[in-house]
Amino acid sequence: MSSKCLMVQGTTSDAGKSTLVTALCRLLKKRGLAVAPFKPQNMALNSAVTPNGGEIGRAQAVQAYAAGLEPHVDMSPILLKPNTDTGAQVIIQGKAIGNMNAVGYHEYKLIAKKASLQSFSRLCDQYDWVLVEGAGSPAEINLRSRDIANMGFAESVNCPVIIVADIDKGGVFAHLVGTLELLSQSEQDRVIGFVINRFRGDLSLLQSGLDWLEERTNKPVLGVLPYLKGFYLESEDAVTQNNQVDSLLNSTIEPLKVVIPIFPRVSNHTDWDPLNLHPQVDVTLVNANQPIPPADLVILPGSKSVQSDLNFLKEQEWESYLNKHLRYGGKVLGICGGYQMLGKYLKDPLGLENDKPSETNGFNFIPMTTELEEEKQLHLQHGEINGSSPWLSEAHLSGYEIHAGISTHHQPYKHFSTLENGQLEGYISEDGQIIGSYLHGLFDQAEALESLLKWAGVKNVIAFNYDAYKESEIERLATSCEEHLDIDALLKRAEEFKLSI
């Protein structure tokens, strides 16, 4: 097999694995190489839908874009979507196979590993390079048995590894040395070097530490990546507060105040990234036991466990807040699970969420009942916002559906959009205050973003092209990595390993 492989592992979660793989995908593409991303096992509530109707981790969809590819299920063959503190929905090669607790999945790992290796092999047959992203840390002792996410995978296919660490959080030398020490000898032997991420300041002040690290470990530091101020890349899983670009903000503009509750199983929170970045919008995320501020628009986002997250919102007094918000003319947008919560009833006759049949009263702002079904709806969608509504201007939109619920309306209603297949999608109330939609990514397209901001109360919307902004940030990242990483040395070291799959 002529394909080459490189795996990026990290000392911790959020060390920069996803970011580095994204940059390397773009840099290898620029060198004329056919490159594909791969993550053998991912645990995240941010997911994406592939053109063939599969569900994969969000980070691999971003990396595929950086590599100039359409996302494919083989890039993210195992996706775990937590729905309780001890269990998750297991998705294999794009399709959900059921829920498992941690013990059950540990036993299932040998089967899952076969699927992961099959996907990896197919990618190797198609591309010059496969760039592999690890998960968490390879030094988690309690997870070493049957590991398929980090060194367990690397050992199975004889893949070279670089380890990345985040210096901005402190303790970078302890992280790197400690991680290496906790690996077996054969695992240490496949580590071809280190990358230090998010460095601020004068590199000469770090040099003595780098020299010590290389002497102590006999491993080269392949690069020190600088901290990129204001850098944006779609999050793999972590929910972050405001990421607005300061240079875009105009203090003379009264921003649209958007409030979003963060419940325990919130999902696909990249939905509001374009709002976070827009110069006329101020997004506030409200966590448990925090005061809820006044808002122009409240967004109820997606959820992996709609009934339990709805109960959480009620316990946090969101029901009374929303009633008051609407009485005073505020707007509410429910997306996917948030849309379902706005209805009258949520029914789970098969016990998909709670292991037993259940029914929960929704907020009852939309005369609608949602019933969970075993088959998940996974679709990429394109369409037009319903411009015949007095509250909305016609605009092209695109998005994706990831949901198991089927919603039935109890009476005639105005639809939010019309999809290319003729389907009437979503809901808008008679008074124009409430919109519900199953489409994630509603704000991604410039036209749809402008239409929705006007509906929410922004009079003169400043144009913002989210797609162009994402592309410019990936280019900025790739340029930085090209300048501060020895890419030629990295590839040469990786080529010394011969894959065995």
Side-chain angles (χ1 to χ4, degrees), residues 67-80:
L69 304 174
E70 292 281 5
H72 191 278
V73 296
D74 281 340
M75 298 172 182
S76 177
I78 304 173
L79 177 61
L80 308 177

Side-chain angles (χ1 to χ4, degrees), residues 277-323:
L277 296 163
H278 197 280
Q280 293 170 288
V281 181
D282 178 23
V283 176
T284 299
L285 307 182
V286 180
N287 291 284
N289 303 316
Q290 290 183 334
I292 311 172
D296 302 305
L297 169 64
V298 174
I299 297 177
L300 299 185
S303 165
K304 188 65 191 73
S305 299
V306 182
Q307 288 184 326
S308 61
D309 280 346
L310 173 61
N311 290 331
F312 167 84
L313 291 182
K314 290 179 179 179
E315 292 168 1
Q316 296 287 312
E317 301 183 354
W318 276 89
E319 190 163 22
S320 59
Y321 173 88
L322 289 171
N323 276 292

Side-chain angles (χ1 to χ4, degrees), residues 97-332:
I97 63 167
N99 297 329
M100 296 185 191
N101 60 28
V103 174
Y105 179 69
H106 184 72
E107 297 299 319
Y108 183 78
K109 273 185 179 180
L110 294 179
I111 298 174
K113 183 177 182 179
K114 291 180 181 178
S116 187
L117 291 175
Q118 288 170 354
S119 289
F120 178 71
S121 179
R122 284 194 289 263
L123 292 178
C124 289
D125 287 339
Q126 299 174 65
Y127 297 97
D128 302 323
W129 281 85
V130 179
L131 300 179
V132 185
E133 180 186 338
S137 161
E140 303 290 353
I141 302 303
N142 58 308
L143 300 178
R144 296 295 298 277
S145 174
R146 300 189 180 186
D147 169 53
I148 59 175
N150 289 298
M151 283 299 179
F153 172 82
E155 294 270 88
S156 294
V157 302
N158 194 34
C159 179
V161 172
I162 57 175
I163 300 178
V164 59
D166 180 4
I167 195 172
D168 195 50
K169 293 184 174 68
V172 69
F173 297 112
H175 282 170
L176 287 168
V177 173
T179 297
L180 195 67
E181 289 288 340
L182 290 174
L183 302 179
S184 69
Q185 188 59 55
S186 64
E187 292 168 346
Q188 291 182 27
D189 290 344
R190 70 180 58 259
V191 175
I192 61 174
F194 303 127
V195 173
I196 293 176
N197 191 27
R198 299 191 184 110
F199 176 70
R200 308 177 193 236
D202 187 339
L203 188 59
S204 65
L205 299 177
L206 185 65
Q207 191 59 51
S208 61
L210 301 181
D211 294 340
W212 175 89
L213 179 63
E214 291 186 336
E215 183 178 357
R216 173 69 172 76
T217 64
N218 200 30
K219 305 288 184 183
V221 176
L222 297 166
V224 178
L225 303 180
Y227 184 93
L228 295 181
K229 185 177 180 182
F231 174 70
Y232 167 75
L233 191 70
E234 290 179 63
S235 171
E236 180 175 44
D237 196 43
V239 180
T240 56
Q241 183 61 51
N242 204 312
N243 193 37
Q244 281 179 320
V245 180
D246 294 338
S247 61
L248 289 177
L249 295 177
N250 184 337
S251 59
T252 65
I253 298 173
E254 181 65 29
L256 181 79
K257 296 186 181 301
V258 177
V259 168
I260 305 173
I262 302 302
F263 25 78
R265 301 299 168 196
V266 65
S267 66
N268 294 83
H269 49 75
T270 51
D271 280 345
W272 62 79
D273 282 4
L275 297 179
N276 256 341
L277 296 163
H278 197 280
Q280 293 170 288
V281 181
D282 178 23
V283 176
T284 299
L285 307 182
V286 180
N287 291 284
N289 303 316
Q290 290 183 334
I292 311 172
D296 302 305
L297 169 64
V298 174
I299 297 177
L300 299 185
S303 165
K304 188 65 191 73
S305 299
V306 182
Q307 288 184 326
S308 61
D309 280 346
L310 173 61
N311 290 331
F312 167 84
L313 291 182
K314 290 179 179 179
E315 292 168 1
Q316 296 287 312
E317 301 183 354
W318 276 89
E319 190 163 22
S320 59
Y321 173 88
L322 289 171
N323 276 292
K324 182 178 179 181
H325 172 76
L326 290 167
R327 280 200 309 273
Y328 282 86
K331 303 291 176 63
V332 174

Side-chain angles (χ1 to χ4, degrees), residues 305-451:
S305 299
V306 182
Q307 288 184 326
S308 61
D309 280 346
L310 173 61
N311 290 331
F312 167 84
L313 291 182
K314 290 179 179 179
E315 292 168 1
Q316 296 287 312
E317 301 183 354
W318 276 89
E319 190 163 22
S320 59
Y321 173 88
L322 289 171
N323 276 292
K324 182 178 179 181
H325 172 76
L326 290 167
R327 280 200 309 273
Y328 282 86
K331 303 291 176 63
V332 174
L333 169 63
I335 302 174
C336 197
Y339 177 27
Q340 296 172 351
M341 294 178 188
L342 293 173
K344 189 171 184 178
Y345 300 113
L346 282 167
K347 297 183 178 181
D348 183 9
L350 301 177
L352 299 174
E353 285 194 354
N354 302 305
D355 296 325
K356 61 181 179 180
S358 58
E359 180 176 319
T360 303
N361 292 329
F363 287 126
N364 199 22
F365 296 130
I366 300 176
M368 175 183 83
T369 295
T370 297
E371 185 168 306
L372 295 186
E373 296 184 349
E374 195 164 15
E375 186 69 23
K376 188 181 288 191
Q377 302 297 312
L378 296 164
H379 308 286
L380 296 178
Q381 300 287 14
H382 300 275
E384 298 290 329
I385 289 178
N386 181 8
S388 65
S389 166
W391 315 106
L392 294 166
S393 57
E394 185 173 327
H396 177 72
L397 61 76
S398 63
Y400 57 99
E401 293 182 70
I402 301 178
H403 61 95
I406 301 297
S407 297
T408 304
H409 291 264
H410 302 162
Q411 60 192 48
Y413 65 98
K414 293 183 183 297
H415 62 281
F416 166 64
S417 67
T418 303
L419 304 181
E420 283 184 343
N421 60 10
Q423 176 187 343
L424 302 181
E425 200 283 322
Y427 167 94
I428 182 166
S429 60
E430 290 290 337
D431 59 10
Q433 286 185 256
I434 300 172
I435 288 177
S437 175
Y438 271 117
L439 298 184
H440 295 285
L442 281 177
F443 299 108
D444 290 7
Q445 296 296 314
E447 284 185 27
L449 175 62
E450 181 176 351
S451 178

